[in-house]
């Protein structure tokens, strides 16, 4: 059976000059300046490839950046050192073999259970039926696993190391922690507890550069990626702190073996339908001093032995722009309990030093996972991508003030819209307020309708940061239009009971006029008078 080399075989989907192709590691890095970016449908796999492969190879082959000047020099060159990358990958070709019998990439050779049992490869792919999950939206069951190509299997393998569930894992021969044929107490993959934030640039080269942390202290001698460890991984796993950034990025949270089979029905003649998946290494202690891809929030009263901070996770159904408080907290400030992801704080410093241009086409990808029962299933993957003006990362910039003001005003208007809905509900005799976790609240509809406007505002500020004041006025005018477009249908269809309400004798009781008057007052308080905004915008 032919092997599959991750160095040269196509397995990383990218957008190259508008065409989607699959490339190997060498091509992705050497020609990163010609690639628009990763082109994966699954954001979990995209983040896994970036963290588990591309960034560590780049750090190993081209060296760790220790100063802003080091970073600027590499940025200005505009390409990665293809000779060093090729030399590194050539010397380690056997370490990037997906189906090696001695050291398969990110796997354990010969991993097996006492009864040589295997599981369907769908166990690695959350969107596919596996185990006892009912395949409501899938025509497959566990007895009929899908055929994954070697490329798809490699991507799923890496994603599992990052995001796998915390369910009971199969016990394997050689694991001293196995009890009754299984291993319990497993945590989710290390990224499962984070709100991942990935800065994106105009090309893959820019994206990789924006994700390369500057390490003033350099690299610890024992910090290395998983494929460069002195001995191949075995079934025995450990509970330990990471040795450094490379160790953390390539953390092996599971012990896995892909089982390839000859398959003439698929291109290349090899497919993967079965897998062995067992418990892997568990992180000990906090990683906030190393982790570059999440924001952190201070814990007011941490328990004994617990870290003073916890990662900021993304909320389901919440657009990324509503979390600007965490994304823009790039400079430590007394009393501020949130700090931005290290990479955004680093970008702020590079912009302040004039290394990053003010009109940089910066975007951020936010990815998070919501787990279900005892974190044994994945309920939802939260993903969003928004433009982010790089000038907004600076503490005293006008762009930052405007962006934060827009998010704050939108939140105030969301609350006002919910209050309007509750008042009309009470006026119509519908009883108590709509519970926050049931039904569709008017404020949530409003925020959804705000999102296209906010995206346009952010994109405009990225291109023209000098127009921040004008952009804020335009936002106030359009936001008022959007809120009336959202609430007018509800006001227009209010029934006769809503005009007088359940208590007609009360001066400010729940009724249609009171609800509308309250909303108008809030609009003026939050956005200012519409006539004044339009006049100032015309004069700007």
């Amino acid at each position: 059976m032919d092997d599959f080399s991750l160095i040269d075989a196509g397995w990383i989907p990218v957008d190259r000059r508008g065409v989607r192709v699959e490339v190997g590691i060498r091509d992705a890095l050497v020609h990163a300046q010609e690639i628009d970016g990763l082109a994966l449908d699954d954001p979990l796999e995209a983040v896994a490839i970036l963290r588990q492969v591309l960034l560590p190879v780049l750090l190993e082959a081209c060296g760790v950046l220790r100063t802003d000047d080091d970073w600027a020099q590499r940025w200005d060159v505009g390409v990665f050192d293809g000779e060093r990358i090729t030399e590194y990958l050539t010397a380690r070709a056997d370490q990037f073999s997906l189906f090696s019998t001695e050291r398969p990439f990110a796997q354990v050779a010969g991993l097996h259970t006492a009864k040589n049992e295997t599981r369907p490869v769908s166990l690695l792919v959350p969107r596919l039926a596996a185990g006892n999950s009912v395949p409501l939206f899938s025509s497959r069951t566990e007895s009929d696993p899908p055929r994954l190509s070697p490329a798809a299997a490699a991507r799923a393998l890496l994603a599992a190391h990052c995001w796998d569930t915390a369910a009971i894992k199969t016990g394997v021969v050689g694991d001293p922690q196995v009890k009754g044929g299984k291993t319990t107490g497993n945590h989710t993959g290390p990224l499962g507890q984070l709100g991942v934030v990935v800065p994106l640039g105009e090309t893959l080269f820019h994206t990789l550069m924006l994700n390369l942390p500057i390490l003033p202290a350099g690299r610890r001698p024992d910090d290395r990626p998983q494929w460069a460890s002195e001995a191949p991984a075995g079934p025995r796993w450990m509970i330990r702190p990471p040795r450094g950034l490379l160790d953390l990025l390539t953390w092996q949270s599971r012990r896995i073996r892909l089982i390839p089979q000859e398959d003439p029905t698929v291109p290349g003649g090899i497919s993967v339908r079965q897998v062995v998946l067992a418990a892997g290494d568990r992180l000990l202690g906090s990683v906030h001093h190393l982790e570059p891809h999440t924001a952190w929030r201070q814990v007011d009263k941490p328990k004994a032995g617990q870290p003073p901070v916890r990662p900021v996770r993304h909320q389901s159904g919440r657009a990324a722009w509503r979390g600007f408080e965490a994304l823009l907290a790039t400079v430590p400030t007394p009393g501020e309990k949130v700090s931005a992801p290290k990479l955004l704080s680093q970008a702020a410093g590079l912009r302040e030093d004039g290394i990053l241009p003010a009109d940089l086409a910066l975007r951020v990808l936010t990815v998070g996972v919501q787990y279900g029962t005892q974190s044994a299933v994945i309920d939802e993957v939260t993903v969003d991508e928004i433009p982010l003006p790089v000038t907004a990362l600076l503490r005293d910039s006008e762009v930052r003030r405007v962006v934060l003001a827009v998010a704050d005003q939108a939140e105030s208007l969301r609350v006002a819209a919910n209050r309007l809905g509750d008042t009309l509900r009470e006026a119509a005799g519908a009883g108590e307020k709509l519970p926050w976790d049931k039904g569709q609240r008017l404020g949530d509809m409003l925020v959804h309708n705000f999102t296209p406007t906010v995206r346009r505002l952010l994109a405009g500020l990225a291109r023209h940061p000098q127009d921040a004041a004008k952009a804020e006025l335009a936002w106030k005018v359009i936001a008022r239009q959007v809120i009336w477009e959202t609430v007018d249908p509800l006001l227009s269809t209010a029934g006769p009971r809503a005009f007088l309400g359940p208590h007609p004798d009360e001066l400010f009781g729940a009724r249609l006029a009171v609800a509308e008057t309250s909303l108008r007052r809030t609009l003026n308080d939050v956005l200012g008078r519409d006539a004044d905004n339009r006049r100032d915008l015309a004069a700007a």
Side-chain angles (χ1 to χ4, degrees), residues 293-354:
H293 284 120
T294 193
W296 299 91
R297 186 182 302 278
Q298 291 183 7
V299 179
D300 290 333
K301 296 180 180 179
K303 297 180 180 178
Q306 291 190 348
V309 295
R310 66 171 182 269
V312 177
R313 302 187 65 185
H314 305 311
Q315 296 182 26
S316 175
R318 183 182 173 96
W321 61 268
R322 295 178 63 194
F324 274 139
E325 176 197 11
L327 295 181
L328 302 185
T330 55
V331 179
T333 302
E336 196 168 67
K337 295 186 177 182
V338 179
S339 58
K342 283 184 170 60
L343 291 170
L344 292 186
S345 295
Q346 176 177 292
L350 293 169
R351 170 66 202 118
E352 192 167 15
D353 293 341

Side-chain angles (χ1 to χ4, degrees), residues 464-483:
H464 307 289
Q466 71 279 5
D467 293 336
K470 185 176 180 180
E472 184 178 19
L473 289 171
W475 149 257
K476 290 180 177 181
V477 171
I478 296 174
R480 189 183 296 267
Q481 295 173 352
V482 171
I483 194 168

Side-chain angles (χ1 to χ4, degrees), residues 6 41 69 80 83 91-92 96 111 121 136 151 161 182 203 296 302 315 318-319 338 393 400 410 429 489 503 513 538:
L6 299 178
D41 297 327
D69 288 340
F80 295 124
E83 184 175 341
R92 291 159 178 77
F96 290 88
L111 190 71
V121 73
L136 292 175
H161 279 300
K182 58 188 178 182
T203 66
W296 299 91
Q315 296 182 26
R318 183 182 173 96
V338 179
L393 298 173
R400 182 181 189 273
H503 307 291

Side-chain angles (χ1 to χ4, degrees), residues 291-419:
E291 177 54 58
H293 284 120
T294 193
W296 299 91
R297 186 182 302 278
Q298 291 183 7
V299 179
D300 290 333
K301 296 180 180 179
K303 297 180 180 178
Q306 291 190 348
V309 295
R310 66 171 182 269
V312 177
R313 302 187 65 185
H314 305 311
Q315 296 182 26
S316 175
R318 183 182 173 96
W321 61 268
R322 295 178 63 194
F324 274 139
E325 176 197 11
L327 295 181
L328 302 185
T330 55
V331 179
T333 302
E336 196 168 67
K337 295 186 177 182
V338 179
S339 58
K342 283 184 170 60
L343 291 170
L344 292 186
S345 295
Q346 176 177 292
L350 293 169
R351 170 66 202 118
E352 192 167 15
D353 293 341
I355 297 171
L356 288 179
D359 59 351
L360 175 73
L362 175 65
R363 294 165 290 136
V364 291
L365 171 70
T366 60
V367 183
V369 168
Q370 279 73 48
Y371 295 93
T373 308
Q374 296 182 334
S375 296
V377 295
I378 291 179
D379 277 350
E380 185 178 355
V381 175
T382 300
V383 58
D384 197 4
E385 182 181 318
I386 58 170
L388 180 62
V390 67
T391 309
L393 298 173
L394 302 182
R395 168 62 64 178
D396 298 323
S397 74
E398 180 69 4
V399 173
R400 182 181 189 273
R401 184 196 66 76
V402 170
V403 168
L404 290 175
V406 166
D408 184 61
Q409 291 162 12
E411 180 62 20
S412 296
L413 296 175
R414 182 190 70 83
V415 173
N418 282 340
R419 187 166 58 245

Side-chain angles (χ1 to χ4, degrees), residues 113-137:
T113 69
K115 297 181 180 179
N116 286 318
E117 300 161 311
T118 61
R119 298 291 304 277
V121 73
S122 50
L123 196 66
L124 302 180
V125 187
R127 65 180 180 273
L128 299 178
N132 296 322
S133 60
V134 180
L136 292 175
F137 304 104

Side-chain angles (χ1 to χ4, degrees), residues 470 473-474 477 530-540:
K470 185 176 180 180
L473 289 171
V477 171
D530 190 40
D532 294 342
N533 291 333
R534 289 180 181 274
R535 183 195 64 234
D536 294 343
L537 181 60

Side-chain angles (χ1 to χ4, degrees), residues 119-122 129 140-147 272-274:
R119 298 291 304 277
V121 73
S122 50
R140 293 189 179 277
T141 62
E142 187 166 349
S143 61
D144 180 29
R147 290 179 170 87
V272 177
R273 303 192 73 187
Q274 299 291 324

Side-chain angles (χ1 to χ4, degrees), residues 55 58-59 65 71 74 208-214 346:
L55 288 174
L58 194 55
L59 288 166
L65 302 169
W71 196 97
R74 191 175 294 180
L208 290 169
M209 285 297 301
L210 291 168
N211 283 274
L212 281 180
I214 297 171
Q346 176 177 292

